[in-house]
């Protein structure tokens, strides 16, 4: 019996040892660990890999929350990628991994060179602004939140009430902590005091820190899991903060050591619990997009859509529409003396839309070929009245004198009116901008382009179809070189086209003096026309090309099978002119017939204008112009839509077997101009709706997508005007020159209404469940044409990011959306209501010119935005799939060891 009792007692003793020896949660076996009390840190060890054996499945899902210190901003001011921007996050992560934990850092912001670099650090944010950022990542249910916030409150306290503002930091921080404790069950929060600061009064820093210590004490007294990480003990010095606020790498390691010390204290209290199961494993995650994320090109479209075929020229003989006479004070007539004096240009706005412009007949007299007539102004015009010029001459002042042989006309600033360009004898380009009115008013800009060739070799025309006149020269026997006008206002910015190489080789076209840049087919792109001495032409149509046509926006040239037949008597090319006389967008053909009669004033030269109306067709539309992508079935990936110019919508369903799409043919006819048609989820039901924008007012009509399971194709219900006009920016002539866009910038699942000026400055009306909210300017211009701007969620946080896609190369500049920071901002200032951070090394290199690149979710699996190259002539498309990362996001542990925190009694 005694033996039995002894065995029984031994059994109970073993049970007690087992139970009480394992009451503290630990990621490693108890027998291999030296226990450390947070009340006696004299022997605290920061680095001991050999004693740590990981326990499978123990995860820390950490949300770092704060401002620029959390983001990792360096105190030495370096911003290049060859130095670390990981802040304290990587050294702390490495340390926790060395303790045997798996670590997944979460947040809606990413920065640094580490793989697991998500966080909620927002540069320049006050505590109140940081509070608004909790919502973005808290639904990922962290089991540990690290808060370092309040430095900006200390720095800006004097601007906000001084000492009372600093004292209020405790209350503002309490709101953040209460919010987190409410939204994340069983979470542990570590709140840090502020670092010492050289840019804030020490009294403000001390006040805030005292408030934080008191706050932590009160939470712990109430049984809440809130731990203090004291950064203001003298361990971290001002010398660790070169700019007075942000640490060096060594300073951030010190921060990591203090965080780690606080973590151990919390862990020894049994506070650290396994993270809540959200259905998304911590070891399978969507890492940040990077160039290495993308697959090789994969064929995803075999071609569809419609074009209007090749250009076929045709003309309708109209007859003579104008006549004018000039006198020469000479004993003998000089034939052809003043044919250069006449020009056609659209200098008076007649109320027509783009593509409906009609040109005035312009007469310039100059000192090189003076006239004997008295009272004839230097510049005058006859207004176009339906192709007739019966009105009298009207004088106007272009604020610049120019001889006829240097005068050119064209739209320099994409406002739809032609400006006066004067090419000097040396080839310099001088401009006077047409500001509208009748007669028109001009503003002189002086020299805007230094010579690339002599006056006779210079041509001007819109080569890339963006609505802005480009500068070209013919060199040698006919090589055309061009410089694109990349300006966003009145003043051009010049960029060499075709990589500085030949844009068109006209060496087999004969006399280079006969070569003109003229938009023959009305697509806003200047075509090449070569004119013979009898008026016969050869026409080369300019279409949007691809990289296969050459570098830097070199067009795809197609010679028209037919052209102007000619038939006039042998004469110089100056007798043949082109002008948009009938509002079709196509240039009509004008032949000047000259007669010479001697009268009392000398020789009278009469010029009769004989017109052949351009009735040609084709070559204007390419298949790639109708491409759209949007999720029409609510499956988390995009379907493909092809929209006709008149608004007919064809649908190709993405069933996951690309390039095989399920065709639905026409699903709806919007009956609006294609440029005003958009697709997006307006009501937050997961289905893309149809939105049509009025060009003049910006008002939005809404057709709701009513598809539901069981239906084959989407159907649409007209819901009326969704939003009254709030944007008068309309649209320009190129594919993406759109004043109104739709994108979900606030991450609520509903597309918002965006208004872009020509320079890309963007304002927004947020479309929320509770109604509309005008937040004013959300993004200031980055100095690029709005046609280069797109919006897409490239970091998969639910908010649309701001992208600039280079027209030449397709290179993507990414500005990640950090969310709303204030209620509203004035338009046209450097301040915005949303914060955007330029991210380097996020997207893959461009593979084609920008107009051919799309952002779409093509994959059924990843839900990530992919990069799609569409070939405009065929609508064949290749996708570079944006693949997710898998694993824990681990890096090497090069940030270790951490410095040892000096021995002291731990605070609460």
């Amino acid at each position: 019996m005694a033996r039995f009792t002894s065995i029984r007692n031994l059994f109970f003793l073993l049970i007690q040892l087992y139970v009480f020896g394992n009451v503290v949660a630990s990621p490693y076996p108890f027998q291999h660990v030296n226990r450390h009390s947070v009340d006696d840190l004299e022997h605290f060890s920061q680095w001991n890999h050999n004693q740590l054996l990981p326990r499978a499945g123990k995860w820390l899902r950490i949300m770092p929350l704060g401002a620029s210190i959390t983001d990792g901003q360096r105190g030495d001011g370096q911003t290049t990628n060859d130095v670390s921007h990981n802040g304290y996050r990587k050294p702390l992560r490495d340390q926790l991994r060395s303790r045997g934990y798996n670590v997944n850092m979460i947040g809606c912001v990413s920065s640094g060179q580490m793989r697991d670099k998500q966080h909620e650090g927002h540069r320049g944010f006050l505590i109140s602004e940081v509070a608004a950022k909790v919502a973005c990542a808290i639904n990922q249910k962290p089991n540990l939140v690290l808060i370092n916030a309040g430095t900006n409150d200390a720095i800006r306290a004097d601007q906000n009430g001084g000492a009372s503002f600093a004292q209020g930091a405790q209350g503002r921080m309490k709101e953040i902590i209460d919010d987190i404790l409410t939204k994340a069950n069983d979470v542990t929060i570590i709140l840090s005091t502020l670092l010492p600061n050289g840019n804030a009064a020490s009294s403000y820093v001390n006040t805030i820190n005292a408030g934080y210590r008191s706050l932590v004490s009160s939470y712990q007294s109430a049984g809440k899991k809130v731990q203090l990480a004291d950064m203001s003990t003298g361990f971290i010095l001002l010398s660790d903060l070169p700019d007075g606020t942000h640490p060096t790498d060594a300073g951030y390691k010190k921060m990591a050591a203090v965080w780690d010390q606080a973590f151990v204290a919390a862990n020894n209290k049994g506070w650290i619990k396994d993270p809540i199961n959200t259905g998304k494993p911590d070891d399978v995650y969507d890492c940040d997009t990077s160039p290495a994320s993308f697959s090789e090109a994969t064929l995803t479209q075999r071609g569809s859509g419609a074009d209007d075929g090749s250009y076929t020229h045709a003309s309708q003989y109209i007859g003579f529409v104008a006549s004018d006479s000039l006198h020469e004070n000479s004993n003998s007539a000089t034939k052809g003396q003043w044919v250069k004096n006449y020009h056609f240009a659209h200098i008076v706005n007649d109320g027509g839309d783009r593509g409906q412009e009609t040109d005035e007949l312009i007469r310039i007299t100059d000192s090189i070929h003076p006239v004997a007539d008295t009272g004839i102004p230097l510049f005058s015009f006859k207004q176009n009245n339906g192709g007739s010029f019966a009105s009298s001459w009207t004088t106007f002042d272009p604020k610049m004198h120019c001889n006829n042989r240097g005068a050119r006309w064209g739209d320099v600033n994409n406002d739809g009116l032609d400006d006066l360009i004067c090419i000097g004898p040396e080839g310099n380009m001088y401009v006077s901008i047409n500001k509208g009115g009748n007669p028109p008013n001009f503003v002189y800009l002086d020299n805007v382009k230094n010579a690339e060739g002599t006056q006779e070799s210079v041509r001007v025309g819109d080569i890339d179809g963006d609505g802005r006149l480009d500068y070209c020269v013919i060199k040698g026997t006919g090589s055309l070189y061009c410089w694109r006008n990349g300006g966003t206002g009145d003043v051009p910015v010049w960029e060499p086209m075709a990589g500085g190489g030949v844009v068109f080789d006209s060496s087999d076209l004969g006399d280079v003096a006969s070569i003109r840049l003229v938009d023959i087919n009305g697509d806003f792109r200047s075509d090449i026309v070569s004119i013979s001495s009898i008026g016969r032409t050869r026409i080369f149509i300019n279409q949007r090309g691809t990289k296969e046509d050459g570098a830097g926006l070199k067009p795809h040239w197609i010679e028209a099978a037919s052209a102007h037949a000619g038939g006039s008597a042998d004469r110089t090319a100056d007798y043949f002119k082109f002008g948009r006389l009938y509002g079709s967008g196509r240039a009509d053909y004008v032949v000047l017939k000259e007669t010479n009669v001697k009268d009392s004033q000398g020789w009278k030269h009469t010029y009769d204008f004989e017109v052949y109306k351009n009735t040609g067709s084709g070559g204007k539309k390419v298949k790639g112009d109708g491409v759209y992508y949007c999720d029409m079935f609510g499956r988390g990936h995009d379907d493909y839509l092809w929209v006709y110019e008149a608004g007919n919508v064809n649908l190709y369903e993405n069933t996951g077997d690309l390039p095989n799409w399920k065709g639905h043919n026409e699903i709806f006819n919007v009956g609006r101009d294609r440029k005003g048609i958009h697709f997006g989820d307006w009501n937050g039901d997961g289905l893309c709706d149809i939105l049509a924008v009025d060009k003049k007012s910006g008002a939005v009509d809404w057709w709701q997508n009513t598809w539901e399971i069981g239906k084959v194709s989407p159907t649409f219900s007209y819901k009326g005007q969704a939003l009254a006009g709030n944007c008068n920016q309309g649209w320009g002539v190129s594919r993406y020159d759109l004043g109104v866009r739709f994108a979900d910038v606030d991450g609520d699942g509903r597309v918002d209404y965006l208004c872009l000026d020509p320079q890309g400055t963007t304002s927004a009306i947020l479309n929320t469940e509770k109604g509309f909210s005008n937040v004013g300017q959300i993004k200031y211009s980055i100095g690029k044409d709005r046609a280069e701007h797109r919006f897409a969620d490239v970091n998969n946080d639910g908010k649309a990011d701001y992208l600039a896609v280079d027209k030449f190369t397709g290179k993507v500049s990414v500005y990640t959306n950090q969310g709303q920071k204030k209620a509203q901002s004035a338009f046209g200032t450097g301040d915005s209501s949303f914060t955007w951070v330029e991210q380097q090394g996020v997207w893959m290199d461009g593979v084609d010119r920008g107009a051919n690149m799309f952002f779409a979710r093509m994959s059924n699996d990843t839900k990530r935005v992919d990069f799609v190259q569409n070939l405009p002539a065929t609508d064949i498309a290749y996708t570079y799939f944006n693949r997710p990362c898998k694993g824990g996001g681990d890096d090497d542990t090069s940030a270790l060891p951490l410095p040892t925190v000096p021995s002291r009694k731990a605070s609460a």
Side-chain angles (χ1 to χ4, degrees), residues 272-304:
I272 307 299
K273 304 299 183 182
D274 288 330
I276 294 172
N277 182 2
T278 62
K280 180 179 179 181
D282 286 284
D283 59 350
V284 179
Y285 71 104
D286 290 340
C287 63
D288 284 347
T289 296
S290 71
S293 305
F294 292 88
S295 70
E296 296 298 318
T298 303
L299 177 68
T300 49
Q301 284 169 223
R302 293 193 177 98
S304 58

Short mmCIF file of all heavy atoms in Angstrom, two decimals, residues 272-304:
data_model
loop_
_atom_site.label_atom_id
_atom_site.label_comp_id
_atom_site.label_asym_id
_atom_site.label_seq_id
_atom_site.Cartn_x
_atom_site.Cartn_y
_atom_site.Cartn_z
N ILE A 272 0.65 36.85 -25.52
CA ILE A 272 0.76 36.61 -26.96
C ILE A 272 0.03 35.32 -27.32
O ILE A 272 0.44 34.22 -26.93
CB ILE A 272 2.22 36.54 -27.40
CG1 ILE A 272 3.00 37.77 -26.94
CG2 ILE A 272 2.30 36.39 -28.92
CD1 ILE A 272 2.48 39.09 -27.48
N LYS A 273 -1.06 35.47 -28.06
CA LYS A 273 -1.88 34.33 -28.47
C LYS A 273 -1.75 34.11 -29.96
O LYS A 273 -1.31 34.99 -30.72
CB LYS A 273 -3.34 34.59 -28.11
CG LYS A 273 -3.59 34.89 -26.63
CD LYS A 273 -3.17 33.73 -25.74
CE LYS A 273 -3.49 34.03 -24.27
NZ LYS A 273 -3.04 32.94 -23.36
N ASP A 274 -2.15 32.94 -30.41
CA ASP A 274 -2.14 32.68 -31.85
C ASP A 274 -3.07 33.65 -32.56
O ASP A 274 -4.13 34.01 -32.03
CB ASP A 274 -2.60 31.25 -32.14
CG ASP A 274 -1.56 30.21 -31.73
OD1 ASP A 274 -0.36 30.55 -31.79
OD2 ASP A 274 -1.95 29.09 -31.36
N PRO A 275 -2.70 34.09 -33.75
CA PRO A 275 -3.59 35.00 -34.49
C PRO A 275 -4.89 34.33 -34.89
O PRO A 275 -4.96 33.10 -35.06
CB PRO A 275 -2.75 35.40 -35.72
CG PRO A 275 -1.75 34.31 -35.88
CD PRO A 275 -1.46 33.80 -34.50
N ILE A 276 -5.91 35.13 -35.04
CA ILE A 276 -7.22 34.64 -35.45
C ILE A 276 -7.15 34.12 -36.88
O ILE A 276 -6.50 34.71 -37.75
CB ILE A 276 -8.26 35.76 -35.33
CG1 ILE A 276 -8.44 36.15 -33.86
CG2 ILE A 276 -9.60 35.36 -35.95
CD1 ILE A 276 -9.29 37.39 -33.67
N ASN A 277 -7.83 33.02 -37.14
CA ASN A 277 -7.88 32.46 -38.49
C ASN A 277 -8.80 33.32 -39.36
O ASN A 277 -10.00 33.41 -39.12
CB ASN A 277 -8.41 31.02 -38.43
CG ASN A 277 -8.43 30.37 -39.80
OD1 ASN A 277 -8.02 30.97 -40.79
ND2 ASN A 277 -8.89 29.13 -39.84
N THR A 278 -8.22 33.95 -40.35
CA THR A 278 -8.99 34.81 -41.26
C THR A 278 -9.30 34.11 -42.58
O THR A 278 -9.88 34.72 -43.48
CB THR A 278 -8.20 36.10 -41.56
OG1 THR A 278 -6.97 35.76 -42.23
CG2 THR A 278 -7.92 36.88 -40.30
N GLY A 279 -8.88 32.87 -42.69
CA GLY A 279 -9.06 32.16 -43.95
C GLY A 279 -7.90 32.35 -44.91
O GLY A 279 -7.88 31.75 -45.99
N LYS A 280 -6.96 33.17 -44.54
CA LYS A 280 -5.79 33.41 -45.38
C LYS A 280 -4.54 33.04 -44.58
O LYS A 280 -4.18 33.75 -43.64
CB LYS A 280 -5.72 34.87 -45.81
CG LYS A 280 -4.53 35.20 -46.69
CD LYS A 280 -4.54 36.67 -47.09
CE LYS A 280 -3.34 36.99 -47.95
NZ LYS A 280 -3.31 38.42 -48.34
N PRO A 281 -3.88 31.93 -44.92
CA PRO A 281 -2.71 31.50 -44.14
C PRO A 281 -1.62 32.57 -44.14
O PRO A 281 -1.41 33.27 -45.13
CB PRO A 281 -2.25 30.24 -44.88
CG PRO A 281 -3.43 29.79 -45.65
CD PRO A 281 -4.18 31.03 -46.02
N ASP A 282 -0.93 32.67 -43.02
CA ASP A 282 0.14 33.65 -42.92
C ASP A 282 1.36 33.26 -43.74
O ASP A 282 2.20 34.12 -44.04
CB ASP A 282 0.55 33.85 -41.46
CG ASP A 282 -0.48 34.65 -40.69
OD1 ASP A 282 -0.52 35.88 -40.87
OD2 ASP A 282 -1.26 34.06 -39.93
N ASP A 283 1.49 31.99 -44.10
CA ASP A 283 2.65 31.59 -44.89
C ASP A 283 2.34 31.54 -46.38
O ASP A 283 3.16 31.09 -47.17
CB ASP A 283 3.18 30.23 -44.43
CG ASP A 283 2.14 29.13 -44.54
OD1 ASP A 283 0.96 29.45 -44.79
OD2 ASP A 283 2.50 27.95 -44.37
N VAL A 284 1.17 31.98 -46.79
CA VAL A 284 0.85 32.16 -48.21
C VAL A 284 0.30 33.57 -48.33
O VAL A 284 -0.78 33.86 -47.85
CB VAL A 284 -0.20 31.14 -48.69
CG1 VAL A 284 -0.52 31.38 -50.16
CG2 VAL A 284 0.30 29.73 -48.49
N TYR A 285 1.04 34.45 -48.96
CA TYR A 285 0.67 35.86 -48.89
C TYR A 285 0.93 36.53 -50.23
O TYR A 285 1.70 36.05 -51.06
CB TYR A 285 1.49 36.55 -47.80
CG TYR A 285 2.94 36.74 -48.14
CD1 TYR A 285 3.42 37.98 -48.53
CD2 TYR A 285 3.82 35.67 -48.13
CE1 TYR A 285 4.75 38.16 -48.88
CE2 TYR A 285 5.14 35.83 -48.47
CZ TYR A 285 5.61 37.07 -48.84
OH TYR A 285 6.92 37.24 -49.19
N ASP A 286 0.27 37.63 -50.42
CA ASP A 286 0.49 38.46 -51.60
C ASP A 286 1.56 39.48 -51.28
O ASP A 286 1.30 40.50 -50.64
CB ASP A 286 -0.81 39.19 -52.00
CG ASP A 286 -1.84 38.24 -52.56
OD1 ASP A 286 -1.44 37.15 -52.98
OD2 ASP A 286 -3.03 38.59 -52.56
N CYS A 287 2.77 39.20 -51.73
CA CYS A 287 3.85 40.14 -51.48
C CYS A 287 3.72 41.34 -52.42
O CYS A 287 2.90 41.34 -53.34
CB CYS A 287 5.21 39.48 -51.68
SG CYS A 287 5.46 38.94 -53.38
N ASP A 288 4.52 42.33 -52.19
CA ASP A 288 4.48 43.51 -53.05
C ASP A 288 4.83 43.15 -54.48
O ASP A 288 5.67 42.29 -54.74
CB ASP A 288 5.50 44.55 -52.56
CG ASP A 288 5.00 45.27 -51.33
OD1 ASP A 288 3.81 45.13 -51.03
OD2 ASP A 288 5.80 45.97 -50.70
N THR A 289 4.17 43.84 -55.39
CA THR A 289 4.52 43.68 -56.79
C THR A 289 5.93 44.20 -57.03
O THR A 289 6.32 45.23 -56.50
CB THR A 289 3.52 44.46 -57.66
OG1 THR A 289 2.22 43.89 -57.50
CG2 THR A 289 3.90 44.42 -59.12
N SER A 290 6.68 43.49 -57.83
CA SER A 290 8.02 43.91 -58.21
C SER A 290 8.26 43.41 -59.62
O SER A 290 7.52 42.56 -60.13
CB SER A 290 9.07 43.33 -57.26
OG SER A 290 9.20 41.93 -57.46
N PRO A 291 9.28 43.92 -60.30
CA PRO A 291 9.55 43.43 -61.66
C PRO A 291 9.70 41.91 -61.74
O PRO A 291 9.34 41.30 -62.74
CB PRO A 291 10.85 44.15 -62.03
CG PRO A 291 10.80 45.43 -61.26
CD PRO A 291 10.16 45.06 -59.94
N ALA A 292 10.20 41.31 -60.65
CA ALA A 292 10.39 39.85 -60.66
C ALA A 292 9.07 39.10 -60.52
O ALA A 292 9.03 37.88 -60.72
CB ALA A 292 11.33 39.45 -59.52
N SER A 293 7.99 39.80 -60.19
CA SER A 293 6.69 39.15 -60.01
C SER A 293 6.07 38.69 -61.33
O SER A 293 5.21 37.82 -61.33
CB SER A 293 5.71 40.11 -59.33
OG SER A 293 6.19 40.60 -58.12
N PHE A 294 6.48 39.29 -62.43
CA PHE A 294 5.74 39.12 -63.68
C PHE A 294 6.23 37.92 -64.50
O PHE A 294 7.42 37.64 -64.57
CB PHE A 294 5.83 40.40 -64.51
CG PHE A 294 5.10 41.55 -63.91
CD1 PHE A 294 5.71 42.38 -63.00
CD2 PHE A 294 3.77 41.78 -64.21
CE1 PHE A 294 5.04 43.43 -62.42
CE2 PHE A 294 3.07 42.83 -63.63
CZ PHE A 294 3.71 43.65 -62.73
N SER A 295 5.27 37.27 -65.12
CA SER A 295 5.57 36.14 -65.99
C SER A 295 6.08 36.65 -67.34
O SER A 295 6.08 37.85 -67.61
CB SER A 295 4.31 35.31 -66.22
OG SER A 295 3.38 36.04 -67.03
N GLU A 296 6.49 35.72 -68.17
CA GLU A 296 6.78 36.05 -69.56
C GLU A 296 5.46 36.35 -70.28
O GLU A 296 4.37 36.06 -69.78
CB GLU A 296 7.49 34.88 -70.24
CG GLU A 296 8.86 34.57 -69.66
CD GLU A 296 9.83 35.72 -69.82
OE1 GLU A 296 9.83 36.34 -70.91
OE2 GLU A 296 10.56 36.03 -68.86
N ALA A 297 5.56 36.95 -71.45
CA ALA A 297 4.37 37.29 -72.21
C ALA A 297 3.58 36.03 -72.56
O ALA A 297 4.13 35.05 -73.04
CB ALA A 297 4.75 38.03 -73.49
N THR A 298 2.27 36.08 -72.29
CA THR A 298 1.38 34.96 -72.57
C THR A 298 0.25 35.45 -73.48
O THR A 298 -0.39 36.46 -73.18
CB THR A 298 0.78 34.40 -71.27
OG1 THR A 298 1.83 34.00 -70.39
CG2 THR A 298 -0.13 33.22 -71.55
N LEU A 299 0.01 34.75 -74.57
CA LEU A 299 -1.07 35.14 -75.47
C LEU A 299 -2.40 35.00 -74.75
O LEU A 299 -2.76 33.92 -74.28
CB LEU A 299 -1.06 34.25 -76.71
CG LEU A 299 -2.18 34.50 -77.73
CD1 LEU A 299 -2.00 35.86 -78.40
CD2 LEU A 299 -2.22 33.39 -78.79
N THR A 300 -3.15 36.10 -74.66
CA THR A 300 -4.46 36.06 -73.99
C THR A 300 -5.60 36.54 -74.88
O THR A 300 -6.76 36.41 -74.50
CB THR A 300 -4.42 36.90 -72.70
OG1 THR A 300 -3.87 38.20 -72.98
CG2 THR A 300 -3.58 36.22 -71.63
N GLN A 301 -5.31 37.13 -76.04
CA GLN A 301 -6.35 37.48 -77.01
C GLN A 301 -5.82 37.19 -78.41
O GLN A 301 -4.68 37.57 -78.73
CB GLN A 301 -6.72 38.97 -76.92
CG GLN A 301 -7.59 39.33 -75.74
CD GLN A 301 -7.72 40.83 -75.53
OE1 GLN A 301 -7.66 41.32 -74.42
NE2 GLN A 301 -7.90 41.57 -76.62
N ARG A 302 -6.67 36.55 -79.20
CA ARG A 302 -6.25 36.21 -80.57
C ARG A 302 -6.68 37.29 -81.56
O ARG A 302 -6.38 37.17 -82.75
CB ARG A 302 -6.85 34.87 -80.98
CG ARG A 302 -6.28 33.68 -80.19
CD ARG A 302 -6.67 32.38 -80.87
NE ARG A 302 -6.09 31.23 -80.20
CZ ARG A 302 -6.71 30.47 -79.31
NH1 ARG A 302 -7.97 30.77 -78.98
NH2 ARG A 302 -6.12 29.44 -78.76
N GLY A 303 -7.38 38.30 -81.10
CA GLY A 303 -7.80 39.37 -81.99
C GLY A 303 -9.30 39.37 -82.20
O GLY A 303 -9.91 38.33 -82.43
N SER A 304 -9.89 40.54 -82.09
CA SER A 304 -11.33 40.70 -82.33
C SER A 304 -11.57 42.17 -82.61
O SER A 304 -10.65 42.91 -82.96
CB SER A 304 -12.13 40.21 -81.12
OG SER A 304 -11.75 40.93 -79.97
#
